[in-house]
């Protein structure tokens, strides 16, 4: 009986998709580049974490679960680095108040 892990998967992946959608709405609706970047990175990181959390009960074993967590960690790391680089370029190109 895999009813409980299936329910956990559906709920977590749905919540993750919701946060991805919220990040996309923030990207499209917020007024400046800094707030857009903030909305996109925070919501997408949380969304991916929830999706990975939802997929963990469906993993075939410990090695598969570790692969999912490793992918999540690499995406976290790359997202933070890219967000810092983009914010630095935006700050450099904007005039000082």
């Amino acid at each position: 009986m895999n009813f409980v892990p299936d329910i956990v998967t559906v709920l977590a992946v749905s919540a993750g998709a919701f946060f991805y959608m919220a990040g996309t709405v923030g990207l499209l609706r917020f007024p400046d580049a800094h707030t857009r970047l903030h909305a996109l990175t925070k919501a997408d990181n949380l969304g991916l974490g929830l999706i990975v959390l939802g997929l963990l009960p469906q993993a075939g074993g410990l090695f598969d679960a570790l692969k999912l967590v490793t992918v999540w960690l690499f995406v976290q790391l790359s997202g933070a680095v890219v967000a810092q680089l983009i914010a630095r370029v935006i700050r450099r190109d904007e005039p000082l108040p």
Side-chain angles (χ1 to χ4, degrees):
M1 300 307 249
N2 291 331
F3 184 70
V4 173
D6 290 344
I7 294 298
V8 169
T9 297
V10 168
L11 291 176
V13 171
S14 297
F18 172 76
F19 278 102
Y20 265 109
M21 190 174 69
T24 303
V25 169
L27 176 70
L28 296 174
R29 301 279 307 198
F30 282 163
D32 62 356
H34 288 286
T35 54
R36 289 178 188 159
L37 187 63
H38 177 76
L40 190 63
T41 55
K42 301 301 179 201
D44 285 355
N45 285 337
L46 182 59
L48 182 62
L50 286 170
I51 289 173
V52 168
L53 183 69
L55 292 178
L56 284 178
Q58 306 299 325
L62 182 62
F63 185 69
D64 292 338
L66 286 175
K67 283 197 293 189
L68 284 171
V69 172
T70 302
V71 167
W72 177 65
L73 289 175
F74 279 128
V75 171
Q76 290 278 332
L77 180 66
S78 65
V81 170
V82 170
Q84 287 292 323
L85 291 174
I86 292 172
R88 186 175 296 170
V89 169
I90 292 168
R91 186 173 179 187
R92 185 186 64 201
D93 293 342
E94 285 182 350
L96 293 174

